[in-house]
Amino acid sequence: MMAYLSKSAAKELLRQSAFSGIPGEMFADVTSGGCSDYSLVISPGRRTGEPIARESGVTLFADPDKAKLLEKLEINYQESLAGGGFYITGENIDACACGNCFSLK
């Protein structure tokens, strides 16, 4: 697999995928912009993507052309009183303070 999902991220992705009617399948898209060069957007379904990460019953898919940008990234999820959200970490990126935008090193 190209990316890593933490157990907390997998749990939340599984919850969201079940709620959307497509249990166990989520799609990671990388778009230009946000508060850095790239922004990570996660939505339900497989689309035409290839699997880039699996954990605890959920598979995360990405467009093959953009999957390279997610290589060796870890996708985490943290709950808080304000709601919660996904954030990314990795050795080959500079993550923005928001947690879901990044630039390649």
Side-chain angles (χ1 to χ4, degrees):
M1 294 285 117
M2 299 186 83
Y4 306 98
L5 290 173
S6 69
K7 295 230 184 261
S8 61
K11 180 181 173 183
E12 178 61 17
L13 289 173
L14 192 58
R15 186 192 72 76
Q16 288 184 17
S17 68
F19 183 74
S20 71
I22 309 167
E25 295 183 357
M26 295 294 281
F27 186 82
D29 193 16
V30 178
T31 60
S32 295
C35 52
S36 197
D37 292 339
Y38 302 103
S39 179
L40 178 65
V41 179
I42 301 175
S43 57
R46 176 188 303 207
R47 299 191 192 167
T48 60
E50 64 182 35
I52 61 163
R54 281 193 183 98
E55 176 64 47
S56 304
V58 68
T59 302
L60 186 63
F61 295 87
D63 183 287
D65 296 333
K66 296 180 181 178
K68 188 83 170 160
L69 294 171
L70 300 172
E71 191 172 10
K72 297 183 182 178
L73 294 184
E74 182 170 353
I75 301 169
N76 300 289
Y77 181 79
Q78 184 175 7
E79 292 186 38
S80 72
L81 292 175
F86 293 98
Y87 64 97
I88 55 174
T89 57
E91 293 180 13
N92 59 340
I93 64 162
D94 288 321
C96 190
C98 73
N100 65 356
C101 294
F102 64 97
S103 296
L104 298 175
K105 286 186 180 178

